[in-house]
Structure formats: structure tokens, C-alpha cells
Amino acid sequence: MDRRLKSFLWRVLPVLLLFVLVLPVAKAQTAGSWVRRGQTAEARGDYDTAFEDYKHAYEKHPKNLEYKTHYERVRFQAAAAHVDQGRKLRAMGDPAAALTQYMRALEIDPSNQAAQQEIEETHKQQMAAPAPGSNTGQGEQMSQQEASLKAISSMSAPIELKPLSSDPITLHMVEDAKVIYQAIGKTAGLNVLFDPDFTSKRIPVDLTNVSLDDALRIVGAVAGTFWKPVTNNTIFVAQNTRTKRTDLDNLAVQTFYLTNASQQNDANEVTTALRNLLDPSVKVYLVPSQNAIVMRATTDQLLLAQKLINDLDRTRPEVVVDVAVLEVSKAKERNLGITLPQTFGVGLQTLATANSTTSSSSTTTTTTTNSGSQLSLNDLGNLNAQNFAVTVSTATANLLLNDSDTRVLQNPRIRATDGQRATLKIGSKIPVATGSYSAGTAATTVSLGVQTQFQYLDVGVNIDMTPTVHYDREISLKMKIEISTQSGSTTISGVTEPIISQRVIEQQIQLREGEPSILAGLLEQDTSSAVAGLPGLGELPLLKYFFSSNDKKNDQDEIVFLLIPHIVREQVLSPLNTRAVDTGTNQEIELRRVPVSKVDDDTAGRNPDSELSIGQTSSGINPPLPSPNRNMTANAAANVAVAGMNQQAHAGGGMTAADAATAALGQMSQQAAQDANAAPTLALNVMPPESTQTVGSTFQMAVMAGNAKDVFSVPMQVQFNPGVLQLVNVDAGEMLGRDGQAVALVHRDDGAGLVTITASRPPNVAGVSGQGVICTLTFRATANGEAKVSLVKVGAKNSAQGNIPAVGSQATIHVK
């Protein structure tokens, strides 16, 4: 029994000891430790854990404003993350899981209106969905709005011809037009109806292996007829006249929403283009409040309008311009020599006349003294050296050397959209009196006196810029840069006015993307020399320093403007935007269709190198690449230019500071080119390279990186066929965050199946090397066909923000 008890105690005692030691530590956890845990979780992107940690810290010290700030901020982020996750789940067809996410968001933040709206919308969708096996009438349960939506959804789209056979047609005959139409209809499995006013005639037809659309178009051109679909397998043939076209053409109404029209003028330009290119009878109406265009036209005209809108409603490029303003002021003064007395004067002192009378002891002695400046004959006869005063000015020994050097660097940065004006003002406003007036005096009013009118001037750095981005990555900049300061004041008619010194540059230039350029250089030199001394002796070579004083001043003020443009958003054009489209004759717009397989080959199956972006011309010839120093910041360029200024100032040569800065920039360009040539190439691959999916299925594809070395960020553009695939989400991979660092992943849908993605690590950390997954793409298959997911534009940067050469790839998706 004793052995069993001892064994039991030896087993239980460590557990009890551990419990006693850990429990006080858990209870004694401070609010500061909770905050540190919350910050760690927030850096990982785990907002739920961060919310709970900040909540514990806030509950311990509810009066601490710092803890409350952390708690409120992360509460919003955690709730928003659950709302976003719920939207993704609902889009994937899982409303129950979506409701769970929305309820969790409301639990975290009861004031989140987005979560409440999503819950109501999800409930409406569940109620509108038919229950399995239910035979009750749904019309009685639907509200008036739901009934209207159902009626709108029941409206049929324009009729699309669906022949039973799509085999090529071969036909050689000379026969009546009706007979030929009927023969083509039987071959394709179509019913053919004729207009009662149709006049048939014999025509020759010689067709070999042509499609149904081409066969009907050729016969219509020979016979002077046209056809229109009545049902999916029936066509109606009539004489091709303007009257018949107007009477028989089916018209459809469609609303086109503009996604990139940021101002009224953008929508007006698209509307004007549609009205000028389409038939005058087409109804085109712009709705500015919705950025929408409503059209009533034929199906071919609507399809052509959609093509034109896709071509014209593009994302405008954006440019960030780094401006470096360098000002170097030098002042040097040397004052050497002896300044001898410059004046010598002799003056007569005031004279005094004294009269004395002396008598004996029995008499009275009287003494009378008269003073004055008037001279008497007696005074003139008794003049001596004591009656004269000599005045000599002071002498000064000058030994002064004053040398001052001032450097001013301003580095504003401004972002602007293509063709849009952007202004930047950094400084202050100074009032300037522009006039005055008197209110006058009246019997019923009180005089207000003189009223002064003021105007405020912007003093400081003022930048006015309008960029234009060209398709070859050239950037035209219409700029006005003004650097102004208050250098003093002056009084005009009793009013003190400020004196404003200005340095203004206004011009239009064209640069490559990332090319540093010295916009202008202003050099002001002021040299003065003053000599004060004895004439003659003060001019001798050696004695002049003893008999004169030489004061020499040399003031130099130099200002240089550096400009570096960077394209931060591009306008990507594909061959679909630039290719020519057959629109029929001058009388009527009639489009020709090609097989769907060929459309897939022309869109999703194209080579990524054939993409027409800003960096490539329509002729397929790439323009010259930008200079290697395209990623140089304005600070780096400014430092190089300042070094050139100092070099030139110390050397004292004939080269100006602007020339020295240009030479230094050239050296930096050569060094950057050598670094770029030595950098390894990063390979980005879409995995798996080929897969087969079913319509409605959701699947994932990974963007793998190989041969990575010091990779800090990876920007890329992904192109896919939006008619077959739908992008659901983009998630960060494990490669950039494999060491525990938080990864920032940003993606933007540019429309037409183009998505811009940027994955980057936190600032001031090293890059990663090796291979791994950069990001994961989640797609949904929406229609049958074949689509390609292509990395049309890829890039990478290292931890020093230098470019890393990168190549992309593509994958093929078969949807059945």
C-alpha cells in the first residue's frame, strides 16, 4: 500500500507543481503583453486573434486610449474580413457558410451595416430559391418587386440561330433562288420562309466547303436578298431593300455600363463615337448619373457597339512624377588691408578774454572774465599752438574671410492620370494689398473709412502638371514648377508690400518611363570688388595692403530641377482591340461570325508576347527599352547631382553643375545596366499547365516562382478568357511569407479578363530565395470551351528595390 501511494504521489506531484506555477503566470498576464500578442497576430493578418488580444488589454485598462484605439481599429478589420469571406462563399454557392461568416462579423462589430445587408440579401435569395418537391404556387408568396424582377428576367434575348448541322456546305447549281435557299436549309436542318413580296430569279451558285453563315451571305449577295432568324431553326428571306430592312429588322435594347468614365466628357466622347459610326437611325442615349449608355438597334449593331465600348472605355494610365529641386548658394567674402585715416581737420578753439583789477588792502579787488568765439586784435596777436584743435579719423586693420555654403533639397512627389491636370502646393499664402476704396459718408450711415483689398499669393513649391502617356512608354509632361520665397518687403504709398523672389520653369517635354532628366538649371553669379585707401600708394602691388583695404565678394546661387516619371498604371491593349472587323456594306451593318474554336485561338490561345501593351507598337516591333536607371528615385538622383555640383565647385573648372549632374547620372545608368545584366532571371509558371473542368466547378491554379534570389515583390498581370472563366479570388502563397513575415497582396480587376496582382513583403526586410508559390488563383468555369490563363506581364524587385528580370508562362483549361 505504501509503495502504491508513493508511486501515485510521484506521478501527481509534478502535475500539481506545474499547475501551481502556470496559473499565477496566466492570471498575471499584463495588458501590455496582450497588446504585443495582438500586434504579432495583426502582422500575420490574423485579425480574429488580434481582436481578442486587444479586447483583453482594453478590458484590463478601459481608460487607456492607446488600447482602445487598437481595439476599435482591429474590430473593424476583423468584421470586414468575415464579410469578404462570406461574399466569396456565397458566390461559390454556399449560402449557409456565408451566413455564418456574416453572423460572426456582426458579433464582432454590431454596427457593421454591410454584414446586416448581406444577411438580408442571403435570406432573400434562399427564400426565392424553390424548395425541393414543393408544389405550392410561388407567385402568391413573391412580393411585387420580386414579381417585377421575375417578369424582367423572363424577357427573351435576341434570337440566335442554332442549326442542327454545322458541317461545311458544298453546292454547285444554277437554279431559282428559292430552291437554293431551301437546299441550304435542308443541309443545315433549317426551315426557310419567304416574304410574300419576294421575287425569285435564277442564279448560279458554286460553293465548296463553306460555313452556313458564309453560304447564306453569298447567296443573299448574288440574289439581292437578306435573311433574319425567326426561331432557333427558322429563317425568313426577303428582298434586300431599305424599306424591307426597316420593316423586318428586329431591334433590341441593351444597356452598356462604362467602368472607366471618371468625368462627363469621357462618357460624351464614347457616345459621340457610337453615334458617328453607327446608322443615324440607331437610338443612343447617355445616362450620366449611372455612367451608362442605352441603345436600341439591331443585334449586329449592338454587338459592334459593345466592341467599340470595350475598345474605348479603357483604364487610363497613371503617372507618379518625382521632382527634386536642388539649390546651392555659395557666398565668399575677403576683406584684407589697413584703412588709414580718411579725413584730417584743424579747428580754432573757443577764445576767452579775462580782465582783472587789483588794488591795495584798502580798496576792493574786482575780476571780470568774458568768454566768446569772437577774436579781438589782442587775441590775434597772442595766438599759439594751444588755440588750435586737430581732428583725425580712425584707422582700421581689416583681416576678414567669410565663406558660407547652403544646400536646399525639396523632393515633392505627385501622381496624375493621363490627360488630367494635377497641382501640388507646399508653402504658405502671403497677403498682398491690391487696392483700397472709401465707403463714403452719408446722413444715415456711419463712415467705414478706407477699406483695403487683399490678394493672397501662394509662396513655396507650386507644381502644375498634365501628363500624357504614349503607347511606347514615352511620357509627355506639360509642367510648370515654381519655387518662390519672401525675400523682403517694401513700402509703397504707406503700405508695406512683400517682395517675392521666384524661380519658375514652364515647358513641355517628353521622357521615357523612369528616365531622370535635368529639367533646367539656373545659375546666378554676383562678383564685386571695393578698394578704399590712399590714392597712388593704395594701388601699388605690395604696399596696397598697408595703405588701402581690399574687399572682394563672390556670391553664387545655382538651382537645378530633376524630373523622374514612373508609370504606375498602364493601359493594356490586346489584339482584339486593334484588329479590323468586317461590318458589311455601306447600306447596312452586318457582322460575320467565325467559329467559337477560332475565337478561342485568337483570344485565350494567343502568345503572351503578342499582347499589345504600352510597351509595344501595333506593328509588333518593340520600342527601345527604357534606360537602366528607370527605378532611380528622386533622392538618389538629387544626391548624384549635388555631388556633381560640389565636384565642380571644388575643381573650379568650366563645367557647370548641370553638366556634372548629367555626367554623374550617366555613370549611374551604366552601373545599373551592369547590375541588370548580372541579375538572374525569375521564372513564373502557372500550375497545373493543363486541366479539364466542368461547367459550374470551382478550381485553383498556382503561380509558381523558380530560380528566385532576394525576391522582395512580384507584380504581374494575368489574362484569361472571361467568356469561359470567372475569377473568384486571389490568395497569397507561402513563398514570400515563409519566414513569418506578413505578405501584402493587392489585386485589381481591369476588365476584359485582365487582372493586375502585386505581392510584396514588409519594408526594410530581406528578400527570399529558392522556389515556391507566389499566389493562388481561384476560378469558376462558367461556359464550355477552351481558355488559357496567361501571365502577360511579369516583373520582380529585390530588397534594394532593383528590377529582377522575369519570364511568365501560360496554362490551358478545357471546360466541358
Side-chain angles (χ1 to χ4, degrees):
M1 186 67 181
D2 294 339
R3 292 181 179 179
R4 294 180 180 179
L5 180 60
K6 291 180 180 180
S7 177
F8 176 76
L9 291 177
W10 279 110
R11 293 177 182 178
V12 174
L13 187 60
V15 177
L16 294 177
L17 183 61
L18 180 63
F19 180 76
V20 171
L21 293 176
V22 172
L23 183 60
V25 174
K27 290 184 177 180
Q29 187 163 351
T30 63
S33 62
W34 283 115
V35 170
R36 289 190 292 272
R37 291 178 56 179
Q39 291 174 345
T40 303
E42 185 180 1
R44 295 195 310 265
D46 188 0
Y47 296 113
D48 279 350
T49 304
F51 169 73
E52 295 295 337
D53 294 338
Y54 288 143
K55 182 178 179 182
H56 288 308
Y58 175 64
E59 289 175 350
K60 284 181 175 292
H61 296 283
K63 295 183 179 180
N64 191 306
L65 294 180
E66 181 182 359
Y67 298 163
K68 184 177 181 180
T69 302
H70 288 310
Y71 170 67
E72 295 291 344
R73 175 174 51 81
V74 176
R75 180 171 68 172
F76 170 79
Q77 294 177 342
H82 283 286
V83 172
D84 292 340
Q85 185 65 24
R87 289 169 177 168
K88 297 174 186 177
L89 292 172
R90 191 178 67 181
M92 297 172 63
D94 193 353
L99 279 176
T100 303
Q101 295 292 331
Y102 297 147
M103 295 299 294
R104 174 58 180 163
L106 277 183
E107 181 183 354
I108 295 175
D109 186 5
S111 63
N112 194 310
Q113 294 295 325
Q116 184 65 38
Q117 293 173 355
E118 294 294 342
I119 291 175
E120 296 175 358
E121 183 66 24
T122 305
H123 281 311
K124 288 181 181 180
Q125 293 182 1
Q126 290 180 337
M127 293 176 61
S134 176
N135 295 325
T136 58
Q138 297 181 4
E140 298 178 357
Q141 301 178 2
M142 298 175 67
S143 63
Q144 183 67 29
Q145 182 180 4
E146 293 173 345
S148 300
L149 293 176
K150 183 178 180 181
I152 293 174
S153 62
S154 65
M155 298 169 60
S156 176
I159 299 173
E160 183 179 356
L161 193 63
K162 296 181 179 179
L164 297 178
S165 175
S166 58
D167 296 335
I169 297 175
T170 299
L171 186 63
H172 306 281
M173 60 189 308
V174 179
E175 192 56 72
D176 190 80
K178 287 186 176 182
V179 176
I180 295 176
Y181 269 114
Q182 290 172 350
I184 296 176
K186 290 180 180 180
T187 303
L190 299 177
N191 301 319
V192 182
L193 303 178
F194 295 95
D195 184 65
D197 298 333
F198 177 70
T199 302
S200 181
K201 60 181 179 180
R202 290 174 62 87
I203 58 173
V205 174
D206 190 3
L207 304 177
T208 302
N209 290 333
V210 297
S211 64
L212 174 62
D213 288 338
D214 290 340
L216 293 176
R217 182 173 56 86
I218 293 172
V219 173
V222 175
T225 60
F226 77 98
W227 62 274
K228 53 171 279 189
V230 179
T231 63
N232 291 337
N233 62 346
T234 304
I235 63 174
F236 185 82
V237 181
Q239 206 70 32
N240 190 8
T241 62
R242 188 66 178 177
T243 303
K244 286 294 181 181
R245 283 278 190 179
T246 305
D247 295 340
L248 297 178
D249 273 342
N250 291 331
L251 302 181
V253 176
Q254 186 173 354
T255 303
F256 304 95
Y257 289 93
L258 305 177
T259 58
N260 298 292
S262 58
Q263 53 186 354
Q264 180 70 30
N265 189 39
D266 298 339
N268 290 337
E269 290 179 352
V270 177
T271 306
T272 303
L274 294 177
R275 287 173 177 168
N276 291 335
L277 293 175
L278 299 179
D279 192 271
S281 62
V282 175
K283 305 295 184 181
V284 181
Y285 182 73
L286 173 64
V287 185
S289 62
Q290 301 296 325
N291 267 348
I293 298 176
V294 182
M295 290 185 57
R296 185 172 186 264
T298 63
T299 55
D300 285 350
Q301 291 170 341
L302 291 177
L303 184 58
L304 180 60
Q306 180 67 73
K307 195 266 180 190
L308 294 175
I309 291 176
N310 291 341
D311 296 341
L312 300 177
D313 185 25
R314 310 294 299 176
T315 303
R316 286 196 172 190
E318 293 186 6
V319 179
V320 170
V321 179
D322 290 337
V323 182
V325 182
L326 295 85
E327 183 176 0
V328 176
S329 299
K330 296 179 181 295
K332 186 175 182 180
E333 180 181 1
R334 187 181 66 177
N335 192 351
L336 185 61
I338 299 176
T339 304
L340 297 177
Q342 303 294 317
T343 59
F344 179 83
V346 178
L348 185 64
Q349 287 186 337
T350 304
L351 299 177
T353 303
N355 298 323
S356 300
T357 304
T358 304
S359 62
S360 63
S361 60
S362 59
T363 61
T364 302
T365 303
T366 302
T367 303
T368 303
T369 303
N370 296 326
S371 61
S373 59
Q374 297 179 354
L375 296 177
S376 63
L377 294 176
N378 185 40
D379 294 333
L380 291 176
N382 297 308
L383 286 177
N384 54 33
Q386 295 181 352
N387 298 120
F388 294 93
V390 179
T391 303
V392 181
S393 61
T394 61
T396 305
N398 298 318
L399 188 61
L400 174 63
L401 179 61
N402 186 12
D403 191 354
S404 62
D405 190 352
T406 304
R407 169 189 168 188
V408 178
L409 173 62
Q410 294 171 327
N411 185 203
R413 175 177 295 183
I414 184 170
R415 179 168 179 165
T417 305
D418 177 34
Q420 302 299 315
R421 179 185 177 189
T423 59
L424 175 65
K425 296 181 180 180
I426 304 175
S428 57
K429 288 181 175 289
I430 296 180
V432 177
T434 58
S436 61
Y437 66 94
S438 177
T441 304
T444 58
T445 60
V446 179
S447 176
L448 299 178
V450 177
Q451 304 296 316
T452 304
Q453 297 175 340
F454 291 92
Q455 179 182 359
Y456 288 87
L457 299 180
D458 294 317
V459 176
V461 180
N462 300 323
I463 300 176
D464 192 335
M465 178 184 71
T466 303
T468 301
V469 181
H470 305 285
Y471 295 136
D472 56 354
R473 302 188 68 87
E474 294 277 337
I475 303 172
S476 295
L477 293 173
K478 183 178 181 182
M479 297 196 66
K480 179 180 180 181
I481 303 178
E482 177 182 347
I483 309 297
S484 57
T485 57
Q486 182 179 0
S487 58
S489 60
T490 183
T491 302
I492 303 175
S493 300
V495 180
T496 302
E497 299 283 2
I499 298 176
I500 307 298
S501 61
Q502 292 182 325
R503 293 176 175 87
V504 182
I505 295 176
E506 184 174 3
Q507 59 184 354
Q508 184 170 352
I509 59 175
Q510 185 166 339
L511 300 173
R512 291 192 300 270
E513 193 269 337
E515 176 186 0
S517 174
I518 297 179
L519 190 64
L522 304 178
L523 177 62
E524 179 182 353
Q525 290 184 340
D526 186 5
T527 303
S528 62
S529 178
V531 178
L534 296 178
L537 294 177
E539 299 175 0
L540 295 177
L542 295 178
L543 298 178
K544 63 181 181 180
Y545 296 108
F546 298 96
F547 296 98
S548 66
S549 176
N550 294 273
D551 188 5
K552 292 185 178 181
K553 295 182 180 179
N554 188 3
D555 296 335
Q556 180 177 340
D557 189 7
E558 186 170 5
I559 184 169
V560 173
F561 295 87
L562 286 178
L563 206 64
I564 307 176
H566 302 280
I567 299 176
V568 295
R569 175 178 290 179
E570 301 181 2
Q571 183 181 29
V572 180
L573 299 178
S574 67
L576 289 177
N577 302 120
T578 57
R579 68 187 181 98
V581 177
D582 186 5
T583 59
T585 63
N586 193 31
Q587 296 295 328
E588 187 68 25
I589 292 179
E590 185 176 359
L591 303 180
R592 286 193 307 112
R593 268 74 169 183
V594 296
V596 178
S597 59
K598 183 172 177 54
V599 174
D600 292 338
D601 293 339
D602 292 340
T603 56
R606 59 182 175 268
N607 191 323
D609 294 336
S610 65
E611 288 290 335
L612 181 62
S613 63
I614 291 182
Q616 187 174 7
T617 60
S618 58
S619 62
I621 302 175
N622 290 327
L625 293 176
S627 58
N629 56 349
R630 54 180 299 193
N631 292 310
M632 188 194 308
T633 63
N635 279 326
N639 293 330
V640 172
V642 170
M645 287 182 176
N646 295 334
Q647 242 180 359
Q648 184 268 341
H650 294 320
M655 183 173 58
T656 64
D659 296 335
T662 304
L665 290 178
Q667 295 176 1
M668 182 172 286
S669 301
Q670 295 177 0
Q671 182 63 35
Q674 296 175 1
D675 296 340
N677 293 333
T681 301
L682 177 67
L684 298 176
N685 299 314
V686 183
M687 303 298 291
E690 187 171 0
S691 64
T692 302
Q693 306 293 333
T694 59
V695 177
S697 64
T698 302
F699 60 97
Q700 291 183 336
M701 306 189 73
V703 178
M704 298 284 297
N707 194 28
K709 184 177 180 181
D710 190 26
V711 175
F712 179 85
S713 64
V714 180
M716 68 185 79
Q717 286 185 336
V718 181
Q719 179 77 55
F720 61 94
N721 187 0
V724 179
L725 302 179
Q726 176 187 357
L727 182 63
V728 178
N729 192 27
V730 180
D731 297 317
E734 52 84 24
M735 179 177 177
L736 294 181
R738 60 178 49 167
D739 57 350
Q741 297 290 342
V743 179
L745 183 69
V746 180
H747 69 277
R748 181 184 73 246
D749 188 357
D750 294 331
L754 184 65
V755 179
T756 301
I757 303 172
T758 301
S760 60
R761 290 168 58 80
N764 301 323
V765 299
V768 296
S769 302
Q771 60 182 4
V773 179
I774 298 296
C775 62
T776 303
L777 310 175
T778 303
F779 289 97
R780 172 179 291 177
T782 58
N784 292 328
E786 182 180 290
K788 293 188 181 298
V789 179
S790 306
L791 301 179
V792 296
K793 187 174 182 181
V794 296
K797 290 186 177 182
N798 55 25
S799 57
Q801 298 303 310
N803 279 347
I804 299 177
V807 294
S809 66
Q810 64 181 7
T812 305
I813 311 299
H814 305 278
V815 181
K816 299 181 180 179

